[in-house]
Amino acid sequence: MGMQPLQFVMPTSNSNTLLIVDDAVENLTVLDALLSPHYQVRVATSGEKVLRIAAGEPHPDLILLDVTMPELDGFSVCQRLKEDEKTALIPITMLTGLDDREHRTRGIEAGADDFLTKPFEQSILRARLRSQLRLKRLTDQLEHTEGVIFMLAAAVEAKDAYTEGHLRRLRTY
């Protein structure tokens, strides 16, 4: 009657949710048609809307974010998402029609995980999304494993009055 080893289930791509953000409805239509056979797709047409959706549960697995939008541009949205602890680990791929070094640098500084220039090749887009989602799954597994380790350590620690609270103090330091 031993403990069963932890098993991690790698979700299939259809279980991943993408949030596509663009103020141009025709771009959303094209991306939705291209990606919905492979992923669950949600769309947003403004920066404010993406912030509300991303903060809700469940979080999207990846965000495709247009750079040029009215009111709140993609750089600002990306930066706000990456500064929020709840959404900081969501991969963000920025999409733009502007292909210059300044915009790419600004996107990376805002926290973007990838940057694609429109028009993009469909196979490259899908390959880069798969890569970002693979990294997200690995990060999620590490987060889960860390939680399990801390839970087990806390259980062991609680049995000994001498070491009780040591893990919390160590984490605080």
Side-chain angles (χ1 to χ4, degrees):
M1 213 170 114
M3 283 185 62
Q4 294 294 319
L6 290 176
Q7 292 185 356
F8 295 104
V9 177
M10 294 297 276
T12 62
S13 62
N14 272 344
S15 67
N16 293 124
T17 301
L18 305 184
L19 175 56
I20 304 171
V21 187
D22 200 315
D23 60 321
V25 177
E26 56 276 3
N27 291 342
L28 291 175
T29 303
V30 168
L31 285 165
D32 184 38
L34 174 66
L35 298 172
S36 60
H38 309 285
Y39 304 100
Q40 304 224 355
V41 174
R42 296 185 70 188
V43 297
T45 55
S46 73
E48 289 298 331
K49 190 171 181 183
V50 72
L51 292 173
R52 283 193 304 276
I53 292 171
E57 293 291 336
H59 300 301
D61 295 301
L62 186 140
I63 298 173
L64 280 171
L65 180 61
D66 185 33
V67 169
T68 52
M69 294 185 293
E71 297 168 29
L72 196 57
D73 69 13
F75 300 121
S76 301
V77 171
C78 182
Q79 186 170 2
R80 286 173 60 177
L81 288 169
K82 292 301 184 174
E83 288 173 350
D84 185 338
E85 187 177 301
K86 292 181 288 189
T87 57
L89 295 177
I90 300 172
I92 298 175
T93 297
M94 298 193 83
L95 299 173
T96 184
L98 311 168
D99 188 22
D100 63 34
R101 183 175 292 164
E102 180 184 334
H103 282 94
R104 286 181 180 276
T105 302
R106 191 168 168 210
I108 291 167
E109 287 173 349
D113 299 284
D114 201 357
F115 209 95
L116 287 172
T117 304
K118 299 180 216 173
F120 45 80
E121 190 176 319
Q122 293 179 13
S123 61
I124 299 251
L125 172 67
R126 282 197 288 262
R128 287 169 92 165
L129 292 179
R130 279 193 306 273
S131 175
Q132 289 294 322
L133 289 167
R134 185 175 55 251
L135 288 172
K136 170 89 166 79
R137 279 192 299 274
L138 293 172
T139 301
D140 289 348
Q141 287 177 1
L142 286 173
E143 290 279 314
H144 176 73
T145 302
E146 179 186 48
V148 169
I149 290 170
F150 276 113
M151 185 177 63
L152 290 172
V156 169
E157 181 181 81
K159 291 185 176 205
D160 185 352
Y162 178 74
T163 61
E164 189 173 2
H166 175 71
L167 188 60
R168 278 189 304 278
R169 289 189 301 275
L170 194 61
R171 185 172 25 189
T172 300
Y173 292 130

